[in-house]
Amino acid sequence: MLIKTKELREAIINASFSISKDKESSLYNVLIETRNNKMEIKSQNNITKLTQTLNTDQEENLKILTDPQKITNILKEIKDETIEIKKEDNILKISSGNFKTKLKTLNPELFSETKKDTNKNKICNIEAEKLKKLIKETIFCPDKNDIAREYTGIYLEIKNKVTKATATDHYRLINVSTENKTEIETEFIIENSGANLINKIPIEGITEIYSSEKEIYIKCGNISIYSKIIKGNFPDYNQILLDKETSNIIELDREELKEAVKRSSVLSENREISININANEKELLISSQNQEGEIAEDKINFSTIKANDNLIIKLDSKFVLDFINQITPKTVTLLYRTSEEPIMFEASEDNFLYKYIMTPIIE
Amino acid sequence: MWERVIDLLKNSVETQDIEKLFLIEPLDVSPVKISLIIPNDSVKKLLKEKYKDEFKKSLKTVFGKLPKIELVIKSNEKDNLNIKYAFENFVVGPSNQLAYAASVAVSENPAKAYNPLFIYGGVGLGKTHLLHAIGNAVKRNKPNSKVLYISSEEFTNELINSIQHKQMAQFRNKYRNLDCLLIDDIQFISKKERTEEEFFHTFNSLYESQKQIVITSDKPPSEIQDIENRLKSRFSWGLIVDIQPPELETRIAIIQKKAELFNLKLSPEIVEFIAQNISSNVREIEGALIKISAFKSIMRRSVTLSLVKTTLQDIVMRKEKMLTAENIQKTVARHFEISIEELKSSKRNKEILIPREIAMYLTRKITKNSLPEIKAKFGVKSHATIINACKKIEKEIEKNPELREKIKEIEKEITNV
């Protein structure tokens, strides 16, 4: 059968993101299945499953179970637009011009495909770009090793025409929201590896999201992504968001803040920085020092939205940079109350609103 | 296992009954006990009478012996009851003792003890809890009784839908065939003529058929404005009980109970701190505990007095922010449809003077402002003006029920943060 080289290569690379990590497992391989001029490339592990459909000239049924890494390496070296694929016994033959290769394949029956969940319901349509952004901006935060499973994934809420993604590692919490037209209200915690898969797969256009009791299913063009969801309740994070009415609020230039944090934390051995907000002078002094007592400090100005109180707070510089590095607005607002309470950064860009809470370092 | 039982059973039942047997849902199946959900009485009769022997034989064949059989009739009617609310987790104190006792009595003897039972009191004091607790207890005592909890707003919406879709017969059938109607916040049907009319007939129908009605409201029947007198008088036929804000000891007990629910271990010092600082309603106490619980679980912070203080600070600060002379002036002015400038002016006409005096009275009553501070906020020349205004309004409240209601409403808006 003939197939486009680039399409197959990309599909195999995508599939490799959803294979098992266990090299001994048959699920460490991808299944290529053809039927009625369609080729399906499937991969799955204990959390996620991915299927991508391509067009082919093959009418007969054919099943190939093979190592995605080997086939990707071969396809990367082929410059021709199309390649020819044949399977003889357990040998996969790939040819392109004078180049020929023979690969051993496994018995396709070893690929024990999980049964389709027939009880899934459609939740909504959402632009792939929006969904990917929600995931991308929160994926750095979950604590993958937390014993409480609900903290290991990303909490997605679709309600009141807003879609929100939230994750926490107990030191900080990120909450990103964007508008969505759907009337349906739902919430679930997607497994970390499911979120990672959505983040990595290049999907475009409108995605359809379906959910069942145990998994979510995302369909976008010729790609279908399945991920298990985590049973459990994500705690009511709204309770810890800082309230504008009862907080001091200052506005900072994001780039200035980023550079100042980077510079000031140079000498810090444990990433700890001290932030000193002088509300009267509208100055923010960031400093750090090492065990020898050597000091690095930087000062930036801010504009006050509503701030009467000064603040001296110790923060983890990496946590600050994790947030301000990934967003692009010109300014960020900082909400604070006392040096023992969490602070909250807030920023908005395009149609996204970011809230990022950090707990202070208290000795 | 259950499939095998059905497979065997279907060979020995009449064809027209096979389909009915497939409607049975296994709830718990083991060789010791088998619990089944039965769609209705007719299917129950099939198993208990018509095919009693065949059923037992099939069970014996599959399990080797006869397990204990439990048949549960599936309930199709939505009762809107929340099982979370029970008498067992209602904290009783002097402020709600009577309402609690009356509710228990009603649940034990529906339509015999007090009918209707009318419970009134402020926001978040446990009226809805008692309604659900009555419903749950009635259902527990008589599982087949038809109980319905509904808010008066939902009642109105359902009525509108029924009118729109010409389904009034179904609507009436639903409400007039209940054994126990629990209706929350009845004050919201005021000024809704058709809802009042329909509720009046529902009330009569249930009352005449000796079915229990329990009603809650934020005020006693006589003080609900814009509601037909015939309804008000019916609400007074049974027992009217009130719930007051809990006193310190009850608040402590509530906090301890709620903390248990949230899996929070609070020291006596912390419990007392919360009880001292949150006094107005139980929902606020619950709000504070939810906040503390969120901090504990998300930020992994241990629950210390310092954490509780900072957490409650938000609630206290928000409250203090609302309880300012400026906010009182704003709220009063809005209620009397005058501007803040007019309210603070020295105009002596009644339309301006009364609101100004009310604002002074409320500022004195609910803020921590001293007389000189109030004097400054209202721009008056002497303390006597404020004292006289307060005395005048206190007298007016005594003799003018309409004004009393208005002031109560404004005060509630300001203090309910």
Side-chain angles (χ1 to χ4, degrees):
Chain A
M1 96 182 105
L2 287 173
I3 188 138
K4 289 186 176 158
T5 319
K6 192 182 166 205
E7 277 186 3
L8 181 62
R9 186 177 64 228
E10 284 172 357
I12 300 277
I13 291 172
N14 288 344
S16 66
F17 295 133
S18 185
I19 59 170
S20 166
K21 281 179 185 165
D22 177 8
K23 287 188 180 180
E24 303 302 316
S25 164
S26 58
L27 297 179
Y28 188 70
N29 300 282
V30 295
L31 182 72
I32 301 170
E33 199 174 358
T34 61
R35 177 186 323 147
N36 305 329
N37 297 101
K38 295 277 177 209
M39 175 187 273
E40 282 190 332
I41 291 110
K42 296 175 179 175
S43 59
Q44 67 178 54
N45 55 38
N46 58 348
I47 306 284
T48 64
K49 184 174 153 189
L50 183 87
T51 304
Q52 189 162 352
T53 312
L54 306 176
N55 291 322
T56 152
D57 61 347
Q58 175 83 14
E59 282 182 20
E60 293 159 38
N61 292 359
L62 182 70
K63 277 185 172 183
I64 305 160
L65 186 62
T66 184
D67 179 343
Q69 195 57 52
K70 274 186 201 165
I71 199 163
T72 307
N73 288 343
I74 291 164
L75 293 174
K76 269 182 188 168
E77 298 308 323
I78 297 175
K79 306 295 172 210
D80 289 352
E81 203 178 312
T82 55
I83 51 165
E84 192 175 0
I85 289 179
K86 268 186 198 168
K87 190 187 174 200
E88 282 172 15
D89 298 326
N90 64 341
I91 300 295
L92 170 67
K93 292 180 175 177
I94 301 174
S95 54
S96 163
N98 294 328
F99 173 72
K100 278 179 192 157
T101 181
K102 288 178 185 177
L103 293 173
K104 280 184 193 167
T105 65
L106 296 167
N107 177 3
E109 301 308 319
L110 291 172
F111 189 91
S112 49
E113 214 174 320
T114 46
K115 277 185 190 165
K116 278 187 181 167
D117 194 339
T118 48
N119 287 326
K120 57 180 182 288
N121 296 310
K122 185 166 177 181
I123 303 173
C124 64
N125 286 349
I126 182 168
E127 289 141 63
E129 197 191 346
K130 272 189 178 175
L131 177 67
K132 282 176 74 73
K133 196 169 164 76
L134 286 170
I135 301 281
K136 187 183 156 218
E137 310 288 21
T138 44
I139 195 98
F140 70 93
C141 217
D143 181 355
K144 286 180 222 165
N145 303 316
D146 201 308
I147 307 163
R149 296 266 297 127
E150 57 270 28
Y151 293 106
T152 60
I154 293 178
Y155 176 48
L156 282 166
E157 297 164 274
I158 302 169
K159 55 180 82 158
N160 303 327
K161 297 189 175 178
V162 174
T163 305
K164 293 181 186 174
T166 310
T168 180
D169 63 1
H170 305 298
Y171 297 103
R172 59 215 170 132
L173 179 138
I174 176 86
N175 169 256
V176 187
S177 56
T178 185
E179 282 179 14
N180 193 23
K181 284 174 192 160
T182 186
E183 295 286 343
I184 289 181
E185 298 199 347
T186 189
E187 58 191 323
F188 51 86
I189 309 167
I190 184 168
E191 288 270 4
N192 197 289
S193 48
N196 249 316
L197 185 62
I198 297 167
N199 194 27
K200 284 177 181 166
I201 302 297
I203 47 173
E204 284 174 349
I206 297 293
T207 61
E208 293 170 51
I209 305 184
Y210 298 80
S211 81
S212 70
E213 200 190 338
K214 290 179 181 165
E215 65 180 16
I216 64 151
Y217 160 52
I218 293 160
K219 190 171 174 358
C220 188
N222 62 340
I223 296 177
S224 300
I225 301 168
Y226 298 79
S227 169
K228 281 191 184 164
I229 49 184
I230 296 169
K231 216 174 172 184
N233 294 323
F234 199 85
D236 185 1
Y237 65 88
N238 289 300
Q239 298 294 332
I240 67 161
L241 299 179
L242 271 77
D243 181 11
K244 282 189 176 162
E245 271 189 37
T246 53
S247 306
N248 295 285
I249 312 168
I250 60 169
E251 189 175 67
L252 298 139
D253 184 286
R254 187 188 59 83
E255 198 60 35
E256 275 180 23
L257 176 66
K258 187 174 94 178
E259 293 307 319
V261 172
K262 271 188 191 171
R263 279 192 293 268
S264 314
S265 57
V266 164
L267 287 178
S268 174
E269 283 151 354
N270 52 2
R271 310 193 307 217
E272 184 181 308
I273 50 169
S274 170
I275 290 187
N276 186 342
I277 296 173
N278 185 330
N280 293 331
E281 300 294 323
K282 295 184 181 178
E283 274 178 359
L284 186 142
L285 181 76
I286 306 167
S287 62
S288 75
Q289 71 174 69
N290 59 17
Q291 282 180 340
E292 285 83 52
E294 293 164 320
I295 295 170
E297 62 176 37
D298 204 348
K299 198 185 279 180
I300 55 171
N301 295 315
F302 58 79
S303 49
T304 306
I305 294 176
K306 192 191 81 174
N308 300 315
D309 306 318
N310 294 335
L311 176 80
I312 298 175
I313 194 166
K314 285 181 178 165
L315 296 172
D316 185 320
S317 59
K318 181 187 176 290
F319 288 178
V320 179
L321 290 171
D322 277 347
F323 176 65
I324 49 179
N325 266 335
Q326 69 166 9
I327 55 164
T328 53
K330 169 122 182 60
T331 58
V332 287
T333 50
L334 171 65
L335 284 81
Y336 67 91
R337 281 206 285 252
T338 65
S339 56
E340 291 195 348
E341 286 179 84
I343 57 153
M344 184 169 93
F345 283 110
E346 207 177 272
S348 57
E349 62 178 339
D350 303 329
N351 292 316
F352 290 84
L353 175 68
Y354 299 84
K355 288 178 180 171
Y356 185 63
I357 292 193
M358 292 173 62
T359 45
I361 299 169
I362 300 168
E363 278 135 20
Chain B
M1 296 289 249
W2 174 244
E3 283 79 17
R4 282 182 59 205
V5 176
I6 285 286
D7 265 342
L8 287 173
L9 190 59
K10 74 180 180 193
N11 297 327
S12 45
V13 302
E14 291 164 22
T15 322
Q16 74 269 17
D17 291 333
I18 292 178
E19 213 177 298
K20 290 178 188 167
L21 292 176
F22 278 105
L23 297 173
I24 301 169
E25 293 167 34
L27 185 67
D28 186 17
V29 179
S30 79
V32 182
K33 189 184 169 189
I34 176 161
S35 301
L36 303 170
I37 299 174
I38 312 293
N40 49 46
D41 269 323
S42 70
V43 178
K44 189 176 178 180
K45 271 186 185 168
L46 289 180
L47 294 182
K48 290 202 89 170
E49 291 166 27
K50 195 173 175 182
Y51 301 118
K52 186 181 164 191
D53 295 334
E54 289 84 342
F55 180 43
K56 285 185 175 173
K57 199 177 157 194
S58 308
L59 287 171
K60 269 186 188 169
T61 313
V62 172
F63 296 105
K65 59 174 185 173
L66 187 64
K68 201 177 162 193
I69 306 163
E70 187 188 46
L71 305 178
V72 184
I73 298 274
K74 190 174 185 176
S75 166
N76 291 322
E77 278 141 7
K78 220 175 125 200
D79 54 24
N80 297 337
L81 290 173
N82 188 339
I83 50 161
K84 211 173 79 179
Y85 298 119
F87 287 126
E88 293 74 22
N89 56 17
F90 187 84
V91 179
V92 189
S95 57
N96 56 26
Q97 208 165 23
L98 188 57
Y100 171 80
S103 301
V104 172
V106 159
S107 72
E108 285 168 354
N109 287 303
K112 291 196 176 72
Y114 312 107
N115 202 15
L117 173 63
F118 192 100
I119 307 169
Y120 72 92
V123 179
L125 298 181
K127 300 186 297 292
T128 305
H129 188 135
L130 284 178
L131 273 193
H132 283 280
I134 293 170
N136 286 321
V138 169
K139 286 283 262 191
R140 197 174 52 229
N141 297 339
K142 284 186 185 169
N144 288 330
S145 54
K146 291 179 189 164
V147 178
L148 179 72
Y149 164 88
I150 195 148
S151 69
S152 69
E153 278 174 313
E154 283 170 285
F155 181 85
T156 307
N157 293 341
E158 214 176 307
L159 175 67
I160 294 166
N161 275 336
S162 304
I163 296 169
Q164 271 176 354
H165 297 103
K166 298 193 171 97
Q167 289 175 336
M168 279 309 292
Q170 284 98 315
F171 178 87
R172 286 177 185 143
N173 188 41
K174 175 182 168 183
Y175 282 95
R176 296 181 193 181
N177 283 312
L178 291 169
D179 294 310
C180 179
L181 172 64
L182 310 158
I183 188 151
D184 211 355
D185 287 325
I186 198 73
Q187 71 275 13
F188 293 125
I189 67 164
S190 72
K191 290 186 190 165
K192 297 184 182 101
E193 285 167 29
R194 185 70 200 265
T195 310
E196 283 189 43
E197 175 77 20
E198 203 51 51
F199 185 71
F200 174 75
H201 294 298
T202 304
F203 184 99
N204 287 344
S205 169
L206 290 173
Y207 189 83
E208 279 158 21
S209 329
Q210 291 187 308
K211 305 295 183 191
Q212 180 68 48
I213 306 156
V214 187
I215 302 161
T216 72
S217 169
D218 63 346
K219 37 179 101 65
S222 58
E223 288 179 24
I224 306 175
Q225 283 181 345
D226 303 311
I227 200 165
E228 287 182 51
N229 283 332
R230 56 180 183 166
L231 268 177
K232 282 189 194 177
S233 83
R234 272 159 182 77
F235 294 162
S236 315
W237 283 357
L239 179 69
I240 301 171
V241 285
D242 70 333
I243 303 187
Q244 291 297 323
E247 64 299 330
L248 182 76
E249 290 77 9
T250 310
R251 291 204 298 278
I252 288 178
I254 291 169
I255 293 163
Q256 283 165 337
K257 193 126 201 166
K258 299 254 175 216
E260 233 174 77
L261 281 177
F262 292 118
N263 203 14
L264 282 173
K265 279 183 188 146
L266 304 178
S267 67
E269 191 190 14
I270 292 174
V271 172
E272 199 171 329
F273 178 82
I274 302 171
Q276 293 283 7
N277 283 277
I278 300 179
S279 54
S280 57
N281 75 50
V282 181
R283 216 167 284 162
E284 221 166 57
I285 292 176
E286 196 168 66
L289 294 178
I290 289 172
K291 221 174 169 73
I292 295 165
S293 166
F295 268 102
K296 180 186 164 244
S297 56
I298 300 177
M299 294 307 183
R300 290 274 154 91
R301 295 193 47 187
S302 46
V303 184
T304 59
L305 187 60
S306 153
L307 173 77
V308 173
K309 275 183 180 169
T310 50
T311 311
L312 294 198
Q313 201 180 7
D314 209 27
I315 297 170
V316 175
M317 270 169 79
R318 199 197 289 256
K319 202 159 189 172
E320 273 174 8
K321 206 172 150 49
M322 291 300 283
L323 303 183
T324 58
E326 288 79 5
N327 190 47
I328 292 168
Q329 288 166 349
K330 200 170 85 184
T331 315
V332 172
R334 183 162 40 78
H335 274 264
F336 285 92
E337 293 173 355
I338 58 170
S339 69
I340 297 174
E341 290 72 31
E342 282 175 316
L343 185 130
K344 288 167 78 177
S345 70
S346 53
K347 286 180 187 169
R348 304 281 309 161
N349 51 323
K350 201 177 146 195
E351 292 74 25
I352 307 291
L353 183 64
I354 295 284
R356 185 189 309 138
E357 288 170 336
I358 290 173
M360 287 180 193
Y361 162 79
L362 287 174
T363 309
R364 182 111 168 94
K365 187 180 172 195
I366 57 182
T367 70
K368 289 173 187 164
N369 290 160
S370 62
L371 277 175
E373 279 168 330
I374 301 173
K375 193 182 113 189
K377 305 256 183 195
F378 283 84
V380 291
K381 286 174 191 163
S382 75
H383 299 169
T385 314
I386 300 157
I387 294 166
N388 288 338
C390 293
K391 278 184 185 164
K392 186 180 158 190
I393 296 300
E394 273 162 17
K395 270 187 192 166
E396 283 294 320
I397 285 173
E398 295 269 309
K399 59 181 186 190
N400 183 347
E402 212 171 299
L403 189 72
R404 179 171 61 223
E405 266 318 296
K406 187 137 192 148
I407 295 173
K408 228 175 167 182
E409 199 182 319
I410 298 170
E411 187 178 341
K412 201 170 154 191
E413 189 184 319
I414 297 164
T415 51
N416 263 338
V417 188

